[in-house]
Amino acid sequence: MTITSKGKIGVLIAEYFGEVEYQQFNYFFPKHGYKVEYISNLLDQDKLTFKGQEYISEATVTIDFKDIEPTDYNGIILIGGYAMDRLRYQVTPAPGQPNQSPAIKFLRKVVIAMDANKLKVGTICHSLWLFCAAPELLKGRKVTCIHNIIDDVENAGGIVMYENGQTQPVYVDGSLISARHPGVIDEFITVFLKELEKKDNLMTTAISRHTLSIPS
């Protein structure tokens, strides 16, 4: 497949990732011109290979959190499954100390960039678990998620949005796009792309206006 480069989408991943999401991301975003790169804690290795939760798909990752900045990407997505629970693990926790896992340190930088409208962030299914490990990043934000983690999200200060007796399929709160579960993957990636290109178009327009305003 020929990829017309519009930019990059970084996807946070680890063992037991959601395979529906993995397969759809790899097809949909390159089809629309965005390169997909997978990011994780490589534990000082050059690369690691992770298995999906169904043990069908595998993802070999060569990009470590410590080697990149969120703004290297147009958007960041937290993959579903149990990957984000794995990523919030701390080797040496301490009483009263905020989570210091590499993924959470990276997520703090992601949220700063997101709130500055420098990138879009997507979550789906269980992936808000990563936000739950840093409640200050989730507090007051309107989101949706799989029903299994509603209590976790609400206890961390997130505002879960409901519709017809369920959490909403997809919800957009500023630059944060969340989705209920893989059953709504098509709607999620379509909305994420729309929001991503809305941001990219605004940036292009701003750059063009700035260029036109520079005296010759």
Side-chain angles (χ1 to χ4, degrees), residues 72-104:
D72 294 340
Y73 299 88
N74 301 68
I76 297 286
I77 298 177
L78 283 57
I79 204 165
Y82 296 95
M84 296 306 106
D85 181 49
R86 304 277 293 189
L87 282 179
R88 62 185 182 172
Y89 174 77
Q90 299 181 85
V91 177
T92 55
Q97 173 184 274
N99 189 297
Q100 297 298 312
S101 67
I104 292 296

mmCIF file of all heavy atoms in Angstrom, residues 72-104:
data_model
loop_
_atom_site.group_PDB
_atom_site.id
_atom_site.type_symbol
_atom_site.label_atom_id
_atom_site.label_comp_id
_atom_site.label_asym_id
_atom_site.label_seq_id
_atom_site.Cartn_x
_atom_site.Cartn_y
_atom_site.Cartn_z
ATOM 1 N N ASP A 72 5.955 14.769 18.428
ATOM 2 C CA ASP A 72 6.491 14.136 17.228
ATOM 3 C C ASP A 72 5.356 13.561 16.379
ATOM 4 O O ASP A 72 5.574 13.166 15.226
ATOM 5 C CB ASP A 72 7.451 12.990 17.592
ATOM 6 C CG ASP A 72 8.718 13.472 18.282
ATOM 7 O OD1 ASP A 72 9.050 14.667 18.151
ATOM 8 O OD2 ASP A 72 9.377 12.653 18.945
ATOM 9 N N TYR A 73 4.161 13.519 16.968
ATOM 10 C CA TYR A 73 3.004 12.879 16.343
ATOM 11 C C TYR A 73 1.850 13.858 16.180
ATOM 12 O O TYR A 73 1.730 14.822 16.930
ATOM 13 C CB TYR A 73 2.550 11.680 17.183
ATOM 14 C CG TYR A 73 3.619 10.630 17.307
ATOM 15 C CD1 TYR A 73 4.572 10.676 18.323
ATOM 16 C CD2 TYR A 73 3.718 9.606 16.372
ATOM 17 C CE1 TYR A 73 5.583 9.735 18.410
ATOM 18 C CE2 TYR A 73 4.718 8.656 16.446
ATOM 19 C CZ TYR A 73 5.653 8.728 17.467
ATOM 20 O OH TYR A 73 6.661 7.800 17.541
ATOM 21 N N ASN A 74 1.001 13.570 15.204
ATOM 22 C CA ASN A 74 -0.240 14.336 15.035
ATOM 23 C C ASN A 74 -1.283 13.904 16.052
ATOM 24 O O ASN A 74 -2.141 14.685 16.459
ATOM 25 C CB ASN A 74 -0.805 14.136 13.627
ATOM 26 C CG ASN A 74 0.153 14.553 12.542
ATOM 27 O OD1 ASN A 74 1.181 13.925 12.362
ATOM 28 N ND2 ASN A 74 -0.178 15.609 11.811
ATOM 29 N N GLY A 75 -1.241 12.641 16.415
ATOM 30 C CA GLY A 75 -2.182 12.104 17.385
ATOM 31 C C GLY A 75 -1.572 10.947 18.144
ATOM 32 O O GLY A 75 -0.630 10.299 17.663
ATOM 33 N N ILE A 76 -2.090 10.709 19.338
ATOM 34 C CA ILE A 76 -1.663 9.587 20.178
ATOM 35 C C ILE A 76 -2.909 8.788 20.546
ATOM 36 O O ILE A 76 -3.911 9.363 20.976
ATOM 37 C CB ILE A 76 -0.978 10.067 21.472
ATOM 38 C CG1 ILE A 76 0.316 10.833 21.163
ATOM 39 C CG2 ILE A 76 -0.720 8.884 22.418
ATOM 40 C CD1 ILE A 76 1.477 9.962 20.728
ATOM 41 N N ILE A 77 -2.841 7.466 20.381
ATOM 42 C CA ILE A 77 -3.949 6.594 20.766
ATOM 43 C C ILE A 77 -3.462 5.567 21.783
ATOM 44 O O ILE A 77 -2.371 5.006 21.647
ATOM 45 C CB ILE A 77 -4.541 5.867 19.553
ATOM 46 C CG1 ILE A 77 -5.112 6.873 18.536
ATOM 47 C CG2 ILE A 77 -5.645 4.896 19.988
ATOM 48 C CD1 ILE A 77 -5.657 6.228 17.272
ATOM 49 N N LEU A 78 -4.261 5.337 22.816
ATOM 50 C CA LEU A 78 -4.005 4.292 23.788
ATOM 51 C C LEU A 78 -4.812 3.076 23.360
ATOM 52 O O LEU A 78 -6.045 3.127 23.322
ATOM 53 C CB LEU A 78 -4.429 4.729 25.195
ATOM 54 C CG LEU A 78 -3.514 5.698 25.958
ATOM 55 C CD1 LEU A 78 -3.256 6.986 25.195
ATOM 56 C CD2 LEU A 78 -4.122 6.004 27.324
ATOM 57 N N ILE A 79 -4.149 1.999 23.003
ATOM 58 C CA ILE A 79 -4.841 0.820 22.494
ATOM 59 C C ILE A 79 -5.626 0.146 23.623
ATOM 60 O O ILE A 79 -5.311 0.297 24.805
ATOM 61 C CB ILE A 79 -3.830 -0.155 21.844
ATOM 62 C CG1 ILE A 79 -4.538 -1.051 20.826
ATOM 63 C CG2 ILE A 79 -3.085 -0.986 22.894
ATOM 64 C CD1 ILE A 79 -3.593 -1.786 19.899
ATOM 65 N N GLY A 80 -6.665 -0.598 23.244
ATOM 66 C CA GLY A 80 -7.490 -1.286 24.228
ATOM 67 C C GLY A 80 -6.894 -2.616 24.667
ATOM 68 O O GLY A 80 -5.707 -2.871 24.492
ATOM 69 N N GLY A 81 -7.746 -3.460 25.215
ATOM 70 C CA GLY A 81 -7.267 -4.694 25.823
ATOM 71 C C GLY A 81 -6.695 -4.400 27.199
ATOM 72 O O GLY A 81 -7.091 -3.445 27.863
ATOM 73 N N TYR A 82 -5.744 -5.204 27.623
ATOM 74 C CA TYR A 82 -5.153 -5.031 28.950
ATOM 75 C C TYR A 82 -3.776 -4.376 28.913
ATOM 76 O O TYR A 82 -3.058 -4.343 29.909
ATOM 77 C CB TYR A 82 -5.081 -6.394 29.660
ATOM 78 C CG TYR A 82 -6.457 -6.953 29.918
ATOM 79 C CD1 TYR A 82 -7.034 -7.853 29.036
ATOM 80 C CD2 TYR A 82 -7.200 -6.528 31.021
ATOM 81 C CE1 TYR A 82 -8.317 -8.342 29.252
ATOM 82 C CE2 TYR A 82 -8.483 -7.010 31.240
ATOM 83 C CZ TYR A 82 -9.031 -7.912 30.347
ATOM 84 O OH TYR A 82 -10.313 -8.378 30.561
ATOM 85 N N ALA A 83 -3.435 -3.834 27.743
ATOM 86 C CA ALA A 83 -2.100 -3.252 27.561
ATOM 87 C C ALA A 83 -1.833 -2.087 28.502
ATOM 88 O O ALA A 83 -0.741 -1.955 29.056
ATOM 89 C CB ALA A 83 -1.915 -2.817 26.113
ATOM 90 N N MET A 84 -2.833 -1.213 28.694
ATOM 91 C CA MET A 84 -2.592 -0.028 29.511
ATOM 92 C C MET A 84 -2.443 -0.376 30.993
ATOM 93 O O MET A 84 -1.742 0.314 31.738
ATOM 94 C CB MET A 84 -3.706 1.000 29.323
ATOM 95 C CG MET A 84 -3.798 1.574 27.916
ATOM 96 S SD MET A 84 -2.259 2.296 27.275
ATOM 97 C CE MET A 84 -1.764 1.021 26.095
ATOM 98 N N ASP A 85 -3.075 -1.468 31.425
ATOM 99 C CA ASP A 85 -2.849 -1.933 32.797
ATOM 100 C C ASP A 85 -1.409 -2.381 32.964
ATOM 101 O O ASP A 85 -0.763 -2.088 33.970
ATOM 102 C CB ASP A 85 -3.809 -3.074 33.127
ATOM 103 C CG ASP A 85 -3.627 -3.578 34.555
ATOM 104 O OD1 ASP A 85 -3.588 -2.748 35.480
ATOM 105 O OD2 ASP A 85 -3.524 -4.809 34.742
ATOM 106 N N ARG A 86 -0.883 -3.054 31.965
ATOM 107 C CA ARG A 86 0.518 -3.482 32.006
ATOM 108 C C ARG A 86 1.459 -2.272 32.052
ATOM 109 O O ARG A 86 2.449 -2.268 32.780
ATOM 110 C CB ARG A 86 0.841 -4.321 30.763
ATOM 111 C CG ARG A 86 -0.041 -5.522 30.545
ATOM 112 C CD ARG A 86 0.375 -6.711 31.336
ATOM 113 N NE ARG A 86 1.653 -7.228 30.882
ATOM 114 C CZ ARG A 86 2.170 -8.383 31.313
ATOM 115 N NH1 ARG A 86 1.506 -9.116 32.194
ATOM 116 N NH2 ARG A 86 3.337 -8.797 30.878
ATOM 117 N N LEU A 87 1.123 -1.234 31.277
ATOM 118 C CA LEU A 87 2.025 -0.084 31.168
ATOM 119 C C LEU A 87 2.067 0.767 32.433
ATOM 120 O O LEU A 87 3.028 1.495 32.647
ATOM 121 C CB LEU A 87 1.642 0.785 29.974
ATOM 122 C CG LEU A 87 2.069 0.268 28.600
ATOM 123 C CD1 LEU A 87 1.601 1.216 27.507
ATOM 124 C CD2 LEU A 87 3.585 0.083 28.515
ATOM 125 N N ARG A 88 1.043 0.688 33.272
ATOM 126 C CA ARG A 88 1.066 1.532 34.472
ATOM 127 C C ARG A 88 1.811 0.885 35.633
ATOM 128 O O ARG A 88 1.913 1.463 36.708
ATOM 129 C CB ARG A 88 -0.350 1.918 34.878
ATOM 130 C CG ARG A 88 -1.265 0.773 35.238
ATOM 131 C CD ARG A 88 -2.674 1.302 35.502
ATOM 132 N NE ARG A 88 -3.565 0.225 35.907
ATOM 133 C CZ ARG A 88 -4.801 0.420 36.347
ATOM 134 N NH1 ARG A 88 -5.282 1.643 36.430
ATOM 135 N NH2 ARG A 88 -5.560 -0.599 36.699
ATOM 136 N N TYR A 89 2.369 -0.298 35.399
ATOM 137 C CA TYR A 89 3.136 -0.999 36.440
ATOM 138 C C TYR A 89 4.378 -0.206 36.827
ATOM 139 O O TYR A 89 5.101 0.294 35.965
ATOM 140 C CB TYR A 89 3.547 -2.384 35.942
ATOM 141 C CG TYR A 89 4.465 -3.118 36.889
ATOM 142 C CD1 TYR A 89 3.969 -3.724 38.041
ATOM 143 C CD2 TYR A 89 5.831 -3.187 36.637
ATOM 144 C CE1 TYR A 89 4.807 -4.382 38.913
ATOM 145 C CE2 TYR A 89 6.683 -3.850 37.506
ATOM 146 C CZ TYR A 89 6.167 -4.443 38.642
ATOM 147 O OH TYR A 89 7.011 -5.100 39.515
ATOM 148 N N GLN A 90 4.626 -0.102 38.143
ATOM 149 C CA GLN A 90 5.832 0.547 38.665
ATOM 150 C C GLN A 90 6.741 -0.492 39.311
ATOM 151 O O GLN A 90 6.274 -1.319 40.089
ATOM 152 C CB GLN A 90 5.476 1.580 39.732
ATOM 153 C CG GLN A 90 4.596 2.706 39.277
ATOM 154 C CD GLN A 90 4.323 3.673 40.408
ATOM 155 O OE1 GLN A 90 5.102 4.579 40.674
ATOM 156 N NE2 GLN A 90 3.200 3.482 41.086
ATOM 157 N N VAL A 91 8.018 -0.405 39.026
ATOM 158 C CA VAL A 91 8.971 -1.345 39.626
ATOM 159 C C VAL A 91 9.182 -1.019 41.100
ATOM 160 O O VAL A 91 9.221 -1.902 41.950
ATOM 161 C CB VAL A 91 10.321 -1.305 38.870
ATOM 162 C CG1 VAL A 91 11.346 -2.221 39.538
ATOM 163 C CG2 VAL A 91 10.115 -1.708 37.411
ATOM 164 N N THR A 92 9.294 0.266 41.418
ATOM 165 C CA THR A 92 9.585 0.669 42.804
ATOM 166 C C THR A 92 8.598 1.744 43.269
ATOM 167 O O THR A 92 8.954 2.922 43.354
ATOM 168 C CB THR A 92 11.027 1.197 42.926
ATOM 169 O OG1 THR A 92 11.217 2.265 41.967
ATOM 170 C CG2 THR A 92 12.039 0.100 42.665
ATOM 171 N N PRO A 93 7.358 1.354 43.585
ATOM 172 C CA PRO A 93 6.402 2.342 44.101
ATOM 173 C C PRO A 93 6.773 2.763 45.521
ATOM 174 O O PRO A 93 7.495 2.054 46.219
ATOM 175 C CB PRO A 93 5.077 1.576 44.088
ATOM 176 C CG PRO A 93 5.476 0.145 44.251
ATOM 177 C CD PRO A 93 6.782 0.010 43.533
ATOM 178 N N ALA A 94 6.287 3.924 45.936
ATOM 179 C CA ALA A 94 6.547 4.422 47.288
ATOM 180 C C ALA A 94 5.278 5.066 47.833
ATOM 181 O O ALA A 94 4.487 5.621 47.063
ATOM 182 C CB ALA A 94 7.695 5.432 47.278
ATOM 183 N N PRO A 95 5.065 5.011 49.144
ATOM 184 C CA PRO A 95 3.856 5.597 49.729
ATOM 185 C C PRO A 95 3.709 7.078 49.380
ATOM 186 O O PRO A 95 4.647 7.854 49.529
ATOM 187 C CB PRO A 95 4.082 5.414 51.238
ATOM 188 C CG PRO A 95 5.038 4.284 51.356
ATOM 189 C CD PRO A 95 5.939 4.387 50.172
ATOM 190 N N GLY A 96 2.534 7.439 48.880
ATOM 191 C CA GLY A 96 2.253 8.834 48.574
ATOM 192 C C GLY A 96 2.889 9.359 47.307
ATOM 193 O O GLY A 96 2.697 10.526 46.950
ATOM 194 N N GLN A 97 3.650 8.538 46.626
ATOM 195 C CA GLN A 97 4.347 8.989 45.406
ATOM 196 C C GLN A 97 3.457 8.791 44.184
ATOM 197 O O GLN A 97 2.912 7.700 43.988
ATOM 198 C CB GLN A 97 5.632 8.182 45.216
ATOM 199 C CG GLN A 97 6.353 8.439 43.892
ATOM 200 C CD GLN A 97 7.555 7.533 43.716
ATOM 201 O OE1 GLN A 97 8.642 7.848 44.174
ATOM 202 N NE2 GLN A 97 7.370 6.399 43.049
ATOM 203 N N PRO A 98 3.283 9.813 43.358
ATOM 204 C CA PRO A 98 2.527 9.630 42.118
ATOM 205 C C PRO A 98 3.171 8.552 41.247
ATOM 206 O O PRO A 98 4.376 8.302 41.327
ATOM 207 C CB PRO A 98 2.618 11.002 41.444
ATOM 208 C CG PRO A 98 2.902 11.954 42.561
ATOM 209 C CD PRO A 98 3.749 11.195 43.535
ATOM 210 N N ASN A 99 2.373 7.914 40.445
ATOM 211 C CA ASN A 99 2.867 6.851 39.570
ATOM 212 C C ASN A 99 4.029 7.361 38.710
ATOM 213 O O ASN A 99 3.938 8.406 38.070
ATOM 214 C CB ASN A 99 1.731 6.357 38.671
ATOM 215 C CG ASN A 99 2.094 5.112 37.891
ATOM 216 O OD1 ASN A 99 3.004 5.124 37.070
ATOM 217 N ND2 ASN A 99 1.386 4.030 38.146
ATOM 218 N N GLN A 100 5.119 6.599 38.719
ATOM 219 C CA GLN A 100 6.330 6.989 38.006
ATOM 220 C C GLN A 100 6.702 6.025 36.881
ATOM 221 O O GLN A 100 7.844 5.999 36.441
ATOM 222 C CB GLN A 100 7.501 7.092 38.990
ATOM 223 C CG GLN A 100 7.337 8.153 40.064
ATOM 224 C CD GLN A 100 7.248 9.543 39.477
ATOM 225 O OE1 GLN A 100 8.059 9.918 38.632
ATOM 226 N NE2 GLN A 100 6.254 10.322 39.904
ATOM 227 N N SER A 101 5.740 5.239 36.430
ATOM 228 C CA SER A 101 6.042 4.338 35.314
ATOM 229 C C SER A 101 6.383 5.166 34.071
ATOM 230 O O SER A 101 5.902 6.290 33.910
ATOM 231 C CB SER A 101 4.844 3.432 35.023
ATOM 232 O OG SER A 101 3.762 4.200 34.522
ATOM 233 N N PRO A 102 7.197 4.631 33.167
ATOM 234 C CA PRO A 102 7.542 5.376 31.957
ATOM 235 C C PRO A 102 6.317 5.799 31.154
ATOM 236 O O PRO A 102 6.291 6.898 30.584
ATOM 237 C CB PRO A 102 8.411 4.390 31.175
ATOM 238 C CG PRO A 102 9.052 3.541 32.231
ATOM 239 C CD PRO A 102 7.978 3.375 33.279
ATOM 240 N N ALA A 103 5.306 4.962 31.119
ATOM 241 C CA ALA A 103 4.102 5.300 30.348
ATOM 242 C C ALA A 103 3.363 6.479 30.956
ATOM 243 O O ALA A 103 2.864 7.352 30.237
ATOM 244 C CB ALA A 103 3.176 4.092 30.257
ATOM 245 N N ILE A 104 3.282 6.525 32.286
ATOM 246 C CA ILE A 104 2.588 7.639 32.947
ATOM 247 C C ILE A 104 3.388 8.928 32.800
ATOM 248 O O ILE A 104 2.819 10.006 32.575
ATOM 249 C CB ILE A 104 2.325 7.324 34.426
ATOM 250 C CG1 ILE A 104 1.302 6.198 34.548
ATOM 251 C CG2 ILE A 104 1.836 8.562 35.167
ATOM 252 C CD1 ILE A 104 -0.073 6.550 34.014
#
